[in-house]
Amino acid sequence: MEVEAKTLVRLEKASITRGGVYILKDADFELKDGQNWAVLGPNGSGKTTMLKLLRGDIRPLEWHTRSYAHELGMINSPMAFKNNTGLVTPHVLDQFRHMGWNMTGLFTVCSGFIHGGCMYQLPNQAQKDKAHEVLERLGLTHLVKAKVLELSLGQSMGLLVARALVHDPKVLFLDECCQALDAAARDRLLGWLETLAAGGTQLVFATHREDELVPAISHVLRIDRGKIVEKGPREAVLGKDDGAARRGAGLKSWNVAGACLGRKSRAVIRMCDSDVAIEGKKVLWDLNWTVRPGEHWAVLGHNGAGKSTLLNLIIGDLRPSWGGSIERFLPDNPGNIWDIRKRVGLVHALPNLYHLPEQSGLDMVLTGFFSSHFLLQEKVTPEQEAKALAVMRLLGADNLARRNIHILSNGQLRRLMIARSMVLDPEMLLLDEPFRGLDARARDELTGLLNKLAAKGVTLIYVTHHADELVPATTHVAVLKKGRMTYQGPVGEFMASELAANWQRGERAA
């Protein structure tokens, strides 16, 4: 007679609200011993909230709607269960950046012992030995002395996995942990998850990409608009061929005809023999690159290739080393950083990191006039508010003007960040991983938005990893590898090359 698996967590009509709005409503769910779950759903559907609720990071409206396994039976307190879990999420790394916790790899991993952020005391020898053991198991011993905020995103995520494993958790919760990882880093991370599951660690893995589901995933929970719409064994929910067709999906069409535009003496950007060093360490080498009017560039490269550094160089946050040069908007070539920023907008990959808890969408957009992250003493004029609302209407974000940004989806936040960058009518828009964390619907909406801006004459330069994220307006492609630009040319020529074929197969763009 088959023994029924033990229930670890049970939800019964559990609900979560924020600002009077239901984020999760009437959730019925059981996590049982031995099950590995994928939590699927579009942006804003409630996946992160579901993970927090299950793990015990937040509590439901009614305390008796959630219970946990205990030697005394099912109890309401999550503490014993939570202490036996691990969490992997890019938001932990965002917190490190925000607080300036630039710890070594060893300290980052040891911070997992305290179930918090920074470790404010030296780890003991037993903790250090365990951290070394986990790092060796993941092949990350070379990161022991590296600073976590100076690593590529793939390397940093590896440290976060090790951090979650130091106390041998029974259940590992993962929230969109493949965001912004290149193909090699994604494969490495997913390989670790498969190995962990084979060793007995249970997985609860939230994602909006079904092609990220490792074979060990046994069950699938699908959420939409805060409601559980489907749950059960993987094959029953996704079918036998789940993810196979999507992994081989083709690319969108590109504006190949536009690749020959703007062959003039004028240039939006011109770099000559440009090296960039940060704290004495060279991160970009020998950049010779020209962006002409009418061109829109996708910048490709694996984690740590230097893509974000390139954007910071363009906007003026960094300068070339002696002997190199960068010129913008020739023949004008403004030299003052504030003159540059009036003509260049930058959309970061982390949309709401520094904003106040109760900030509205309109206030977030208005900060673009002041190059700040929130409004404190700034006096907003009626003209500025009118301009912000006009830009929001243009970008389809005016319905977010009065809403708290902390209850918005990633796609809605990204739209507000673009509106924020456009209030000064920039001639060029830089986007750092604009599709990070967006589901298919939000990616399509953002693609349409970027095409609209390109049609209005705004020069686009954006970085991405995924083959299905090339915006149709793209005219040119540049590839960075280890700080060097190894390819640059029209998108049509790139897509016909062996380099593009390798990239489409999920290999490193190199």
Side-chain angles (χ1 to χ4, degrees):
M1 181 177 177
E2 185 175 344
V3 178
E4 185 176 357
K6 176 183 177 182
T7 297
L8 302 179
V9 188
R10 178 182 293 128
L11 303 180
E12 299 175 276
K13 302 297 180 184
S15 298
I16 299 287
T17 61
R18 186 182 297 167
V21 178
Y22 278 98
I23 307 299
L24 197 66
K25 187 174 183 181
D26 296 333
D28 289 315
F29 178 75
E30 287 191 10
L31 173 63
K32 294 191 174 185
D33 191 25
Q35 295 177 343
N36 296 310
W37 282 83
V39 182
L40 303 179
N43 296 127
S45 61
K47 300 189 301 296
T48 297
T49 300
M50 184 67 174
L51 262 61
K52 289 181 177 180
L53 180 61
L54 288 171
R55 187 169 178 260
D57 294 326
I58 55 177
R59 59 180 299 173
L61 291 179
E62 298 291 338
W63 64 273
H64 60 271
T65 61
R66 180 185 63 183
S67 55
Y68 295 88
H70 190 270
E71 60 184 11
L72 301 177
M74 300 300 290
I75 63 174
N76 298 123
S77 172
M79 294 310 298
F81 174 80
K82 184 176 179 179
N83 288 338
N84 203 19
T85 68
L87 175 66
V88 181
T89 170
H91 295 305
V92 173
L93 189 60
D94 297 347
Q95 181 189 21
F96 282 17
R97 289 194 181 102
H98 181 37
M99 300 301 294
W101 291 337
N102 195 14
M103 299 179 286
T104 65
L106 181 64
F107 266 60
T108 299
V109 176
C110 287
S111 69
F113 285 109
I114 62 172
H115 297 282
C118 187
M119 197 164 189
Y120 292 103
Q121 61 185 26
L122 292 175
N124 59 43
Q125 190 59 48
Q127 290 173 329
K128 289 191 288 186
D129 289 344
K130 182 62 176 181
H132 279 290
E133 176 192 324
V134 174
L135 286 167
E136 185 173 359
R137 193 193 330 166
L138 298 180
L140 297 174
T141 53
H142 60 290
L143 301 181
V144 166
K145 296 182 180 180
K147 295 296 185 68
V148 64
L149 300 185
E150 298 170 14
L151 298 173
S152 72
L153 187 56
Q155 293 170 319
S156 299
M157 288 302 299
L159 289 178
L160 294 188
V161 173
R163 177 180 182 270
L165 295 177
V166 288
H167 57 88
D168 297 320
K170 175 175 177 55
V171 183
L172 187 61
F173 289 87
L174 304 110
D175 187 10
E176 298 287 3
C177 61
C178 291
Q179 283 186 25
L181 297 187
D182 61 36
R186 285 196 306 274
D187 289 345
R188 186 163 54 249
L189 176 56
L190 296 176
W192 288 335
L193 298 185
E194 184 68 17
T195 301
L196 291 172
T201 303
Q202 286 186 234
L203 307 178
V204 181
F205 182 23
T207 180
H208 59 261
R209 288 181 173 268
E210 294 178 20
D211 59 355
E212 291 177 356
L213 303 190
V214 296
I217 295 295
S218 60
H219 290 70
V220 172
L221 172 70
R222 200 184 293 277
I223 304 178
D224 192 18
R225 299 179 185 180
K227 299 279 289 185
I228 295 177
V229 295
E230 207 170 2
K231 61 184 177 183
R234 175 175 181 158
E235 187 172 312
V237 176
L238 300 181
K240 293 182 178 180
D241 298 323
D242 62 281
R246 285 173 290 278
R247 281 189 288 271
L251 302 175
K252 300 174 182 177
S253 59
W254 313 274
N255 184 8
V256 179
C260 296
L261 294 175
R263 299 295 183 185
K264 305 174 183 178
S265 59
R266 294 174 57 87
V268 180
I269 300 172
R270 180 178 294 154
M271 297 182 187
C272 296
D273 301 323
S274 294
D275 298 343
V276 174
I278 299 177
E279 295 184 356
K281 181 180 179 181
K282 192 177 291 188
V283 291
L284 293 176
W285 284 267
D286 302 324
L287 291 179
N288 289 279
W289 184 39
T290 300
V291 176
R292 298 175 176 84
E295 296 178 349
H296 307 289
W297 286 74
V299 181
L300 310 178
H302 57 81
N303 298 123
K307 302 185 299 300
S308 297
T309 303
L310 177 66
L311 298 187
N312 288 331
L313 174 63
I314 295 172
I315 203 169
D317 285 343
L318 297 172
R319 294 187 177 185
S321 302
W322 187 84
S325 66
I326 176 171
E327 300 171 290
R328 307 167 185 85
F329 306 111
L330 295 175
D332 298 348
N333 192 29
N336 184 288
I337 189 170
W338 300 113
D339 291 335
I340 295 171
R341 291 191 174 185
K342 289 177 183 177
R343 302 175 71 170
V344 183
L346 174 62
V347 180
H348 292 281
L350 309 174
N352 66 332
L353 181 56
Y354 300 108
H355 294 280
L356 297 175
E358 297 300 323
Q359 190 172 31
S360 70
L362 177 59
D363 285 345
M364 182 178 181
V365 174
L366 286 168
T367 62
F369 286 107
F370 307 101
S371 296
S372 62
H373 294 293
F374 40 80
L375 301 175
L376 290 177
Q377 303 300 321
E378 291 87 355
K379 293 183 178 180
V380 177
T381 66
E383 292 77 15
Q384 288 173 328
E385 182 167 335
K387 177 61 180 294
L389 288 170
V391 172
M392 293 175 75
R393 281 193 294 272
L394 174 67
L395 303 183
D398 51 316
N399 61 321
L400 307 176
R402 306 302 173 188
R403 296 184 63 183
N404 184 350
I405 62 173
H406 288 275
I407 63 172
L408 301 181
S409 69
N410 283 341
Q412 291 169 323
L413 284 169
R414 204 63 47 86
R415 193 173 288 264
L416 287 175
M417 285 296 291
I418 293 176
R420 177 184 182 275
S421 70
M422 294 298 296
V423 292
L424 295 177
D425 296 318
E427 300 167 48
M428 177 166 53
L429 187 61
L430 311 177
L431 302 107
D432 192 359
E433 298 289 355
F435 299 99
R436 172 185 171 181
L438 300 188
D439 58 37
R441 180 173 60 190
R443 289 198 302 273
D444 288 343
E445 291 176 353
L446 180 55
T447 295
L449 176 57
L450 296 180
N451 284 334
K452 180 188 296 186
L453 293 175
K456 289 176 64 65
V458 179
T459 297
L460 303 180
I461 300 176
Y462 65 98
V463 302
T464 185
H465 293 305
H466 290 286
D468 58 356
E469 291 177 355
L470 276 189
V471 176
T474 304
T475 63
H476 288 71
V477 171
V479 176
L480 281 174
K481 180 181 180 183
K482 297 181 180 179
R484 298 181 185 274
M485 194 168 285
T486 59
Y487 178 93
Q488 51 180 278
V491 66
E493 294 180 8
F494 172 78
M495 297 312 300
S497 69
E498 181 63 25
L499 181 61
N502 292 340
W503 183 54
Q504 291 182 62
R505 287 194 294 265
E507 299 172 8
R508 292 186 177 186

